[in-house]
Amino acid sequence: MPTISAGALKRMLHLPANVVIGTPRIERDRTGRETVVVPVRPYARDTGRCAECGGHGRPYDRLPTRRWRHLDIGCARLFLEYAPRRVACAGHGVTVAMVPWARRKSAYTYDFEQQVAWLSVHAPRSAVSALTRVDWKSVGPICRRVADDLRAEQGAGLFDHLRSIGVDETSYRKGHKYMTVVVDHDRGRVVWMHPGHGEKVFDLFFQQLTPAQRASIQVITGDGARWIDECAFRWCPQAERILDGFHIVSWATDALDKVRTAAWREARKAGTTRKGAKDPIKGARWALLKNEGDLTAGQKAQLECVANTNETLWEAYKLKERLRMILKQTADEAAPMLRQWAVDAFLSGIPGFVPLGEKIARRHFDILTTIRSGLSNARLEAINNKIKTTIKIGYGYRNLDNLISLVMLKCGGLDLQLPGRQ
Ligand SMILES: [Zn+2]
C-alpha cells in the first residue's frame, strides 16, 4: 500500500514551510467521534522566538502539550499538537514562544480562523456554527483577530485618497447604544467605526488621519447634526458639508412609521382588530417604508389595502414617496417641487408631517446642495443597510470590538480570501 510522505502531508494540510510534522494518529472522544491529531513542531531555528517581537529569546521552560484546531480532514476534526516553549526575551520578559501555524493566544490555526472569518462574512451564523463546529460566541474573537491582521496589512490605505466621506450614528443594541460609522462614498465601504457618538468620537477619527489625508477630503455628508458640522469645520475646513439624501428620506420614513403606529393603536382601541389577529396596518410596515420600486407582489397588495382603509396613512405614504422622487430630479426641477412638497406636508395636518414640512422649507437650499452634489442616494442606502444587517448578525457577540471587526470584514473592503486561495 502506498504511503504519504511527511512532506506531502504537510503540503496537503497547507502548513507553513518551517514546520516539521510527526506521525498522525486517530483518537476517539467521549461521544465516539473521531479526531485526527498531528504532532508538529517549528524548525529548530524558529522554536525560541518571542511572541511579541519575533526575536530570539533565551529558553525558559516548556509548557504542557496543547492543541490547535486546524481545517477538517474529511469529516473529522483535525488538531495540531505541540508542547510550546516559553522564552525569556530581553525586551518582553517571559512569553510563550511564537508558533508558525497560529496567532498568539488562539486555540485555532491561521487557516482555520481565516476560513471561519470568510464564512461569517458570506453565510448566516447558523451555517457558520454548524459547518465549523464552533460556537457563535467564539466566532467573534476569531473575526477580530483576522480583521486586526488584515487591517494591519491593508488598513493603512483605507484613509488614503478619501474624497467624500459620510458619518452616521447607528444603534447597535436595543436601549439606544450608538456607534459612529465613517463611510468612504467613492469606494462604498466603511473606513472607521467607534463606540459612542458626538463630537469627541468624531474627533478620534480625524486624529488618526495625517494632515495630507485630511486635506484630500472634499465632501463630508451626515444627517445635518451640529456636532458633525463643527467637527468637520475644525479638521477639514476645506470640505463642503452636505446633508445626505438618505437622511432626508429617513425623516419622512420616521414620520410615516409614527403615523402607522398611531393608526394601528387606534384600530386596536376601536376593537376592529383582535389582539393577535393579522392586522393589515401592522403587517404593512415594511411595504410602507420600502421604496416603491422594490415592493413584492404581496407588499403591493398590502399597500392597496392601506389605501382603501386608512386615508391618513395613505396620504403620509404618498408624501414620503414623493419626497424620495424629488431627490432624484435635477436641482432646477427639484426646487419648485420641494417648495410645493413643504406646503402640502404642512397643510396635510398629519402629525409628524406638519413639522417636517417646516423642516424641509427651512433646509430648502441644503437639500438642493445635496441634489447638486450628485452623491447617489441608492448607494448610501445600500451600504447603510449592509451595516445594519451585519450589526444584527453580530448581536450575539458580547464584545463590541468583535462586532466592529465583523462589520469591517464585511463592509470595510478588506481583502479576505479562503485559506490557500490567494
Ligand atoms: Zn520580544
Side-chain angles (χ1 to χ4, degrees):
M1 201 178 111
T3 51
I4 297 172
S5 72
L9 184 60
K10 190 167 105 179
R11 284 201 302 282
M12 282 164 62
L13 297 180
H14 196 245
L15 291 174
N18 58 344
V19 173
V20 181
I21 67 171
T23 311
R25 59 177 196 277
I26 293 174
E27 285 182 3
R28 262 177 216 282
D29 64 10
R30 258 178 265 132
T31 58
R33 285 176 312 188
E34 286 182 335
T35 55
V36 179
V37 180
V38 183
V40 289
R41 63 176 169 82
Y43 273 11
R45 64 176 151 83
D46 294 324
T47 48
R49 291 187 183 274
C50 165
E52 293 277 347
C53 63
H56 285 284
R58 197 164 38 79
Y60 184 79
D61 64 356
R62 198 176 266 278
L63 295 173
T65 304
R66 46 170 294 201
R67 290 174 179 184
W68 288 262
R69 173 95 185 268
H70 190 49
L71 301 172
D72 288 354
I73 184 156
C75 296
R77 285 177 225 234
L78 188 143
F79 290 89
L80 304 183
E81 190 182 67
Y82 175 61
R85 277 195 187 161
R86 286 202 295 176
V87 292
C89 168
H92 301 98
V94 177
T95 61
V96 181
M98 197 179 251
V99 291
W101 53 83
R103 290 182 178 86
R104 239 188 121 190
K105 291 183 179 167
S106 171
Y108 311 99
T109 65
Y110 284 112
D111 278 2
F112 187 81
E113 293 199 324
Q114 200 168 335
Q115 189 179 54
V116 171
W118 186 92
L119 267 171
S120 337
V121 168
H122 292 93
R125 48 195 264 185
S126 54
V128 178
S129 290
L131 183 63
T132 61
R133 295 178 272 199
V134 170
D135 173 41
W136 180 254
K137 290 207 169 70
S138 312
V139 171
I142 293 177
C143 287
R144 184 172 169 188
R145 285 189 290 265
V146 174
D148 283 353
D149 274 10
L150 283 177
R151 289 207 68 173
E153 283 166 31
Q154 309 165 8
L158 282 179
F159 298 148
D160 283 339
H161 314 297
L162 291 171
R163 198 186 54 88
S164 60
I165 60 166
V167 57
D168 194 11
E169 50 202 50
T170 307
S171 79
Y172 63 90
R173 207 153 284 170
K174 285 198 180 120
H176 305 288
K177 292 204 164 191
Y178 286 97
M179 191 141 58
T180 302
V181 183
V182 178
V183 173
D184 173 352
H185 287 315
D186 299 315
R187 278 163 281 203
R189 65 192 189 186
V190 174
V191 288
W192 189 80
M193 252 176 120
H194 201 279
H197 63 137
E199 212 170 323
K200 288 218 169 67
V201 177
F202 200 23
D203 273 341
L204 293 176
F205 167 70
F206 288 114
Q207 280 163 14
Q208 297 213 342
L209 269 55
T210 63
Q213 286 169 333
R214 288 198 288 268
S216 75
I217 298 172
Q218 297 302 317
V219 172
I220 299 175
T221 71
D223 64 359
R226 190 168 299 151
W227 62 268
I228 297 178
D229 282 354
E230 282 169 1
C231 204
F233 184 73
R234 202 148 12 90
W235 293 97
C236 296
Q238 79 284 359
E240 191 176 7
R241 292 175 299 286
I242 294 178
L243 254 176
D244 65 47
F246 175 71
H247 278 106
I248 300 170
V249 175
S250 79
W251 297 340
T253 45
D254 288 350
L256 173 63
D257 203 36
K258 286 199 184 96
V259 175
R260 184 197 60 87
T261 316
W264 173 63
R265 279 212 195 96
E266 195 89 334
R268 242 180 62 183
K269 229 190 276 163
T272 46
T273 51
R274 278 167 294 116
K275 206 176 177 181
K278 216 169 177 333
D279 173 51
I281 294 174
K282 193 181 182 193
R285 176 159 195 226
W286 300 116
L288 286 162
L289 300 183
K290 236 176 158 178
N291 296 344
E292 202 177 4
D294 302 335
L295 293 173
T296 64
Q299 287 169 331
K300 276 184 193 150
Q302 283 176 327
L303 275 188
E304 211 154 291
C305 180
V306 169
N308 292 328
T309 55
N310 193 311
E311 207 180 315
T312 312
L313 187 53
W314 182 240
E315 210 51 49
Y317 169 77
K318 283 195 299 188
L319 279 168
K320 184 266 287 182
E321 277 300 303
R322 219 172 98 197
L323 182 61
R324 214 168 55 78
M325 294 321 290
I326 294 173
L327 293 176
K328 290 186 177 168
Q329 314 301 317
T330 64
D332 288 345
E333 287 165 347
M337 293 163 94
L338 208 52
R339 282 222 171 77
Q340 188 59 48
W341 192 95
V343 171
D344 290 350
F346 185 74
L347 294 180
S348 73
I350 304 172
F353 279 83
V354 176
L356 184 54
E358 288 174 316
K359 190 170 181 176
I360 295 287
R362 201 167 59 233
R363 313 284 313 235
H364 183 81
F365 292 103
D366 294 335
I367 298 171
L368 292 182
T369 308
T370 302
I371 295 173
R372 271 191 213 100
S373 76
L375 284 168
S376 155
N377 196 28
R379 262 185 91 174
L380 276 187
E381 216 175 330
I383 180 97
N384 201 290
N385 287 338
K386 203 169 162 191
I387 295 167
K388 290 215 168 95
T389 341
T390 311
I391 287 176
K392 257 182 220 135
I393 294 171
Y395 268 176
Y397 291 171
R398 289 206 193 101
N399 187 308
L400 190 56
D401 289 329
N402 297 343
L403 176 62
I404 291 177
S405 297
L406 185 68
V407 176
M408 289 307 296
L409 284 175
K410 222 170 155 144
C411 318
L414 296 172
D415 185 25
L416 175 63
Q417 303 279 340
L418 276 166
R421 310 281 177 90
Q422 286 95 327

